Amino acid sequence: MRNLLYAGFSRLWRSASFWVSVAVMFAVAVFELAVSCQPRLQGAEGILDNRYMIFVLMSGVVLSAFCSLFIGTEYSDGAMRNKLAVGHSRTAVYLADLTVCAAAGVLVCCGYILPMIAVGVPLLGPFTLSVPALLWFTLCAFLMTAALCAVFTMIALLNQNKAVVAIICIFLAYFLLFLGIYLNSRLTEQAVIPAREYIENGRILVREAMPNPSYVQGLKRRIFEVLYDLPGCQAVQLLAAAEACPVRLPLVSLCAVAVSTGAGLLLFRRKDLK
Protein backbone atom coordinates (compact mmCIF):
# COMPACT_ATOMS: atom_id res chain seq x y z
CA MET A 1 0.00 0.00 0.00
CA ARG A 2 2.83 2.40 0.87
CA ASN A 3 4.53 1.75 -2.44
CA LEU A 4 1.26 2.32 -4.30
CA LEU A 5 0.72 5.64 -2.53
CA TYR A 6 4.29 6.72 -3.22
CA ALA A 7 3.93 5.84 -6.91
CA GLY A 8 0.52 7.52 -7.07
CA PHE A 9 1.70 10.81 -5.57
CA SER A 10 4.84 10.74 -7.72
CA ARG A 11 2.66 10.41 -10.79
CA LEU A 12 0.36 13.13 -9.48
CA TRP A 13 3.17 15.70 -9.36
CA ARG A 14 4.04 14.84 -12.97
CA SER A 15 0.39 14.86 -14.13
CA ALA A 16 -0.49 17.64 -16.54
CA SER A 17 -4.20 17.28 -15.72
CA PHE A 18 -3.48 17.97 -12.03
CA TRP A 19 -1.56 21.17 -12.69
CA VAL A 20 -4.13 22.32 -15.24
CA SER A 21 -6.85 21.80 -12.59
CA VAL A 22 -4.87 23.83 -10.05
CA ALA A 23 -4.28 26.54 -12.66
CA VAL A 24 -8.00 26.72 -13.45
CA MET A 25 -8.90 27.22 -9.80
CA PHE A 26 -6.12 29.79 -9.42
CA ALA A 27 -7.42 31.68 -12.48
CA VAL A 28 -10.95 31.67 -11.03
CA ALA A 29 -9.59 33.12 -7.77
CA VAL A 30 -7.73 35.88 -9.64
CA PHE A 31 -10.88 36.68 -11.62
CA GLU A 32 -13.00 36.87 -8.46
CA LEU A 33 -10.45 39.15 -6.81
CA ALA A 34 -10.43 41.44 -9.85
CA VAL A 35 -14.23 41.60 -9.92
CA SER A 36 -14.34 42.35 -6.19
CA CYS A 37 -12.02 45.35 -6.35
CA GLN A 38 -14.65 47.85 -7.56
CA PRO A 39 -17.19 47.23 -4.76
CA ARG A 40 -14.38 47.42 -2.22
CA LEU A 41 -13.35 50.82 -3.55
CA GLN A 42 -16.95 51.92 -2.99
CA GLY A 43 -16.77 50.92 0.68
CA ALA A 44 -18.68 47.62 0.64
CA GLU A 45 -17.97 45.27 3.53
CA GLY A 46 -17.88 41.49 3.79
CA ILE A 47 -16.92 41.01 0.13
CA LEU A 48 -14.33 38.34 0.90
CA ASP A 49 -16.92 36.21 2.73
CA ASN A 50 -19.07 36.11 -0.41
CA ARG A 51 -16.16 35.24 -2.70
CA TYR A 52 -14.34 32.73 -0.53
CA MET A 53 -16.70 29.76 -0.98
CA ILE A 54 -17.21 30.12 -4.74
CA PHE A 55 -14.63 27.40 -5.31
CA VAL A 56 -17.17 24.76 -4.23
CA LEU A 57 -19.19 25.50 -7.38
CA MET A 58 -16.16 24.82 -9.59
CA SER A 59 -14.48 21.96 -7.74
CA GLY A 60 -16.90 19.24 -8.85
CA VAL A 61 -16.59 20.03 -12.55
CA VAL A 62 -12.81 20.44 -12.45
CA LEU A 63 -12.24 17.26 -10.44
CA SER A 64 -14.59 15.21 -12.60
CA ALA A 65 -12.27 15.86 -15.54
CA PHE A 66 -9.13 15.32 -13.47
CA CYS A 67 -10.17 11.98 -11.91
CA SER A 68 -11.31 10.52 -15.21
CA LEU A 69 -8.09 11.51 -16.99
CA PHE A 70 -5.75 10.61 -14.12
CA ILE A 71 -7.13 7.11 -13.58
CA GLY A 72 -7.89 6.57 -17.27
CA THR A 73 -4.20 7.04 -17.99
CA GLU A 74 -3.41 4.10 -15.70
CA TYR A 75 -5.47 1.86 -17.93
CA SER A 76 -4.19 3.27 -21.20
CA ASP A 77 -0.47 3.02 -20.34
CA GLY A 78 -0.77 -0.41 -18.70
CA ALA A 79 0.07 0.75 -15.17
CA MET A 80 -3.06 -0.87 -13.75
CA ARG A 81 -2.12 -4.31 -15.06
CA ASN A 82 1.47 -3.88 -13.87
CA LYS A 83 0.33 -3.11 -10.31
CA LEU A 84 -1.71 -6.28 -10.16
CA ALA A 85 0.98 -8.34 -11.89
CA VAL A 86 3.60 -7.54 -9.22
CA GLY A 87 1.29 -8.80 -6.46
CA HIS A 88 -0.70 -5.78 -5.23
CA SER A 89 -4.29 -6.61 -4.30
CA ARG A 90 -7.20 -4.94 -6.04
CA THR A 91 -8.32 -3.48 -2.72
CA ALA A 92 -4.94 -1.82 -2.20
CA VAL A 93 -4.93 -0.47 -5.77
CA TYR A 94 -8.44 0.94 -5.38
CA LEU A 95 -7.78 2.57 -2.00
CA ALA A 96 -4.46 4.03 -3.19
CA ASP A 97 -6.10 5.64 -6.21
CA LEU A 98 -8.93 6.94 -4.04
CA THR A 99 -6.48 8.45 -1.55
CA VAL A 100 -4.44 10.15 -4.27
CA CYS A 101 -7.53 11.55 -6.01
CA ALA A 102 -9.03 12.81 -2.74
CA ALA A 103 -5.75 14.48 -1.78
CA ALA A 104 -5.54 15.99 -5.26
CA GLY A 105 -9.08 17.33 -4.80
CA VAL A 106 -8.09 19.15 -1.63
CA LEU A 107 -4.93 20.54 -3.29
CA VAL A 108 -6.93 21.73 -6.29
CA CYS A 109 -9.28 23.59 -3.92
CA CYS A 110 -6.23 25.12 -2.22
CA GLY A 111 -5.32 26.52 -5.63
CA TYR A 112 -8.30 28.85 -5.10
CA ILE A 113 -8.16 29.28 -1.32
CA LEU A 114 -4.51 30.29 -0.95
CA PRO A 115 -4.51 33.26 -3.37
CA MET A 116 -7.94 34.29 -2.07
CA ILE A 117 -6.54 34.55 1.46
CA ALA A 118 -3.01 35.77 0.63
CA VAL A 119 -4.18 38.51 -1.74
CA GLY A 120 -7.84 38.90 -0.79
CA VAL A 121 -7.32 39.84 2.88
CA PRO A 122 -4.89 42.74 2.15
CA LEU A 123 -6.93 43.82 -0.88
CA LEU A 124 -10.53 43.39 0.29
CA GLY A 125 -10.22 43.46 4.06
CA PRO A 126 -10.60 40.68 6.65
CA PHE A 127 -13.37 38.11 6.85
CA THR A 128 -16.45 39.08 8.84
CA LEU A 129 -16.99 35.41 9.69
CA SER A 130 -15.26 34.10 12.81
CA VAL A 131 -12.23 31.88 12.36
CA PRO A 132 -14.03 28.74 13.70
CA ALA A 133 -16.92 29.31 11.29
CA LEU A 134 -14.52 29.82 8.40
CA LEU A 135 -12.62 26.63 9.24
CA TRP A 136 -15.90 24.71 9.58
CA PHE A 137 -17.07 25.86 6.14
CA THR A 138 -13.69 24.87 4.67
CA LEU A 139 -13.79 21.43 6.31
CA CYS A 140 -17.32 20.82 4.94
CA ALA A 141 -16.13 21.86 1.48
CA PHE A 142 -13.10 19.54 1.64
CA LEU A 143 -15.24 16.59 2.73
CA MET A 144 -17.72 17.29 -0.06
CA THR A 145 -14.79 17.35 -2.48
CA ALA A 146 -13.51 14.03 -1.13
CA ALA A 147 -16.99 12.53 -1.56
CA LEU A 148 -17.16 13.66 -5.19
CA CYS A 149 -13.66 12.28 -5.81
CA ALA A 150 -14.77 8.95 -4.32
CA VAL A 151 -17.69 8.79 -6.76
CA PHE A 152 -15.53 9.81 -9.75
CA THR A 153 -12.84 7.30 -8.73
CA MET A 154 -15.41 4.51 -8.59
CA ILE A 155 -16.69 5.38 -12.07
CA ALA A 156 -13.18 5.68 -13.52
CA LEU A 157 -11.93 2.39 -12.06
CA LEU A 158 -14.96 0.45 -13.30
CA ASN A 159 -14.66 1.64 -16.91
CA GLN A 160 -11.46 1.48 -18.96
CA ASN A 161 -12.69 3.89 -21.66
CA LYS A 162 -11.19 7.24 -20.68
CA ALA A 163 -13.44 9.29 -22.99
CA VAL A 164 -16.65 7.65 -21.76
CA VAL A 165 -15.61 8.07 -18.13
CA ALA A 166 -14.83 11.75 -18.67
CA ILE A 167 -18.25 12.36 -20.25
CA ILE A 168 -20.08 10.52 -17.46
CA CYS A 169 -18.18 12.27 -14.65
CA ILE A 170 -18.50 15.76 -16.12
CA PHE A 171 -22.21 15.23 -16.83
CA LEU A 172 -22.73 13.99 -13.26
CA ALA A 173 -20.90 16.99 -11.81
CA TYR A 174 -23.01 19.45 -13.80
CA PHE A 175 -26.20 17.52 -13.04
CA LEU A 176 -25.58 17.65 -9.28
CA LEU A 177 -24.68 21.35 -9.46
CA PHE A 178 -27.81 22.35 -11.39
CA LEU A 179 -29.93 20.03 -9.25
CA GLY A 180 -28.64 21.90 -6.19
CA ILE A 181 -29.53 25.25 -7.76
CA TYR A 182 -33.04 24.01 -8.58
CA LEU A 183 -33.59 22.54 -5.11
CA ASN A 184 -32.34 25.73 -3.47
CA SER A 185 -34.85 27.80 -5.43
CA ARG A 186 -37.72 25.47 -4.48
CA LEU A 187 -36.83 25.03 -0.81
CA THR A 188 -36.37 28.76 -0.21
CA GLU A 189 -39.85 29.63 -1.48
CA GLN A 190 -42.01 31.41 1.10
CA ALA A 191 -44.99 29.49 2.42
CA VAL A 192 -47.16 32.62 2.21
CA ILE A 193 -47.07 35.43 -0.33
CA PRO A 194 -47.17 38.58 1.84
CA ALA A 195 -49.77 41.30 1.41
CA ARG A 196 -48.74 44.26 -0.69
CA GLU A 197 -50.10 47.52 -1.98
CA TYR A 198 -50.18 48.46 -5.65
CA ILE A 199 -51.68 51.21 -7.79
CA GLU A 200 -54.22 50.48 -10.50
CA ASN A 201 -56.10 53.18 -12.45
CA GLY A 202 -55.02 55.78 -9.95
CA ARG A 203 -56.36 53.85 -6.97
CA ILE A 204 -54.34 52.23 -4.19
CA LEU A 205 -55.33 48.60 -3.87
CA VAL A 206 -54.22 46.02 -1.32
CA ARG A 207 -53.63 42.38 -2.18
CA GLU A 208 -54.09 40.21 0.86
CA ALA A 209 -51.61 37.57 1.91
CA MET A 210 -52.21 34.22 0.24
CA PRO A 211 -50.64 30.73 0.24
CA ASN A 212 -47.78 30.33 -2.18
CA PRO A 213 -48.67 27.65 -4.77
CA SER A 214 -44.94 27.08 -5.44
CA TYR A 215 -44.17 26.20 -1.82
CA VAL A 216 -43.02 22.59 -1.43
CA GLN A 217 -44.35 20.71 1.57
CA GLY A 218 -45.02 17.26 2.93
CA LEU A 219 -43.24 14.18 1.58
CA LYS A 220 -42.04 16.03 -1.52
CA ARG A 221 -40.21 18.55 0.68
CA ARG A 222 -38.58 15.75 2.66
CA ILE A 223 -37.32 14.19 -0.58
CA PHE A 224 -36.01 17.55 -1.81
CA GLU A 225 -34.18 18.12 1.48
CA VAL A 226 -32.49 14.70 1.26
CA LEU A 227 -31.38 15.35 -2.33
CA TYR A 228 -30.20 18.84 -1.36
CA ASP A 229 -27.67 17.27 1.04
CA LEU A 230 -26.01 15.14 -1.65
CA PRO A 231 -22.38 15.97 -2.53
CA GLY A 232 -22.45 18.36 -5.46
CA CYS A 233 -25.81 19.76 -4.38
CA GLN A 234 -24.08 20.70 -1.13
CA ALA A 235 -22.02 23.23 -3.07
CA VAL A 236 -25.07 25.48 -3.47
CA GLN A 237 -26.01 24.97 0.18
CA LEU A 238 -22.51 25.90 1.38
CA LEU A 239 -22.48 29.00 -0.78
CA ALA A 240 -25.97 30.08 0.32
CA ALA A 241 -25.36 29.55 4.07
CA ALA A 242 -24.80 32.85 5.83
CA GLU A 243 -23.12 32.07 9.16
CA ALA A 244 -23.73 28.39 9.91
CA CYS A 245 -23.24 25.18 8.00
CA PRO A 246 -25.46 22.24 9.03
CA VAL A 247 -23.61 19.51 10.93
CA ARG A 248 -25.27 16.85 8.76
CA LEU A 249 -23.42 17.92 5.60
CA PRO A 250 -19.99 16.46 6.51
CA LEU A 251 -21.74 13.35 7.82
CA VAL A 252 -23.53 12.92 4.50
CA SER A 253 -20.20 13.39 2.68
CA LEU A 254 -18.54 10.71 4.81
CA CYS A 255 -21.47 8.36 4.17
CA ALA A 256 -21.13 9.01 0.44
CA VAL A 257 -17.42 8.14 0.62
CA ALA A 258 -18.18 4.92 2.50
CA VAL A 259 -21.02 3.82 0.20
CA SER A 260 -19.24 4.62 -3.08
CA THR A 261 -15.99 3.04 -1.86
CA GLY A 262 -17.75 -0.10 -0.65
CA ALA A 263 -19.68 -0.49 -3.90
CA GLY A 264 -16.60 0.33 -5.97
CA LEU A 265 -14.43 -2.21 -4.17
CA LEU A 266 -17.07 -4.92 -4.55
CA LEU A 267 -17.40 -4.36 -8.31
CA PHE A 268 -13.69 -3.72 -8.92
CA ARG A 269 -12.76 -7.09 -7.42
CA ARG A 270 -15.01 -8.81 -9.94
CA LYS A 271 -14.03 -6.67 -12.89
CA ASP A 272 -12.34 -8.34 -15.83
CA LEU A 273 -9.27 -6.22 -16.57
CA LYS A 274 -8.37 -6.63 -20.21
Side-chain angles (χ1 to χ4, degrees), residues 6-106:
Y6 177 79
F9 281 109
S10 297
R11 194 164 65 86
L12 180 67
W13 307 134
R14 301 192 303 269
S15 173
S17 58
F18 169 71
W19 293 110
V20 169
S21 300
V22 174
V24 168
M25 298 299 282
F26 182 85
V28 173
V30 172
F31 174 79
E32 291 296 333
L33 288 170
V35 171
S36 303
C37 286
Q38 185 63 31
R40 176 60 179 171
L41 293 176
Q42 297 174 358
E45 298 294 336
I47 298 175
L48 194 57
D49 291 3
N50 299 330
R51 301 292 180 183
Y52 177 74
M53 291 300 296
I54 288 180
F55 74 91
V56 296
L57 297 177
M58 297 290 300
S59 60
V61 177
V62 173
L63 292 172
S64 64
F66 163 75
C67 291
S68 58
L69 294 175
F70 183 76
I71 296 178
T73 303
E74 283 197 330
Y75 279 117
S76 60
D77 63 11
M80 185 66 68
R81 291 190 300 272
N82 293 338
K83 290 179 181 179
L84 299 175
V86 298
H88 294 295
S89 68
R90 295 197 179 201
T91 299
V93 171
Y94 189 103
L95 294 178
D97 281 342
L98 173 60
T99 302
V100 172
C101 287
V106 173

Side-chain angles (χ1 to χ4, degrees), residues 188-199:
T188 54
E189 289 277 0
Q190 294 180 329
V192 177
I193 299 177
R196 70 180 182 90
E197 296 182 351
Y198 62 97
I199 299 176

Side-chain angles (χ1 to χ4, degrees), residues 210-253:
M210 58 182 294
N212 185 356
S214 299
Y215 180 75
V216 181
Q217 54 187 331
L219 178 61
K220 186 176 180 180
R221 187 172 188 85
R222 288 291 187 87
I223 295 173
F224 278 16
E225 288 174 345
V226 171
L227 294 176
Y228 196 36
D229 289 341
L230 291 176
C233 297
Q234 284 185 22
V236 182
Q237 196 169 164
L238 287 170
L239 193 61
E243 297 180 355
C245 174
V247 178
R248 67 180 182 274
L249 294 188
L251 297 178
V252 172
S253 295

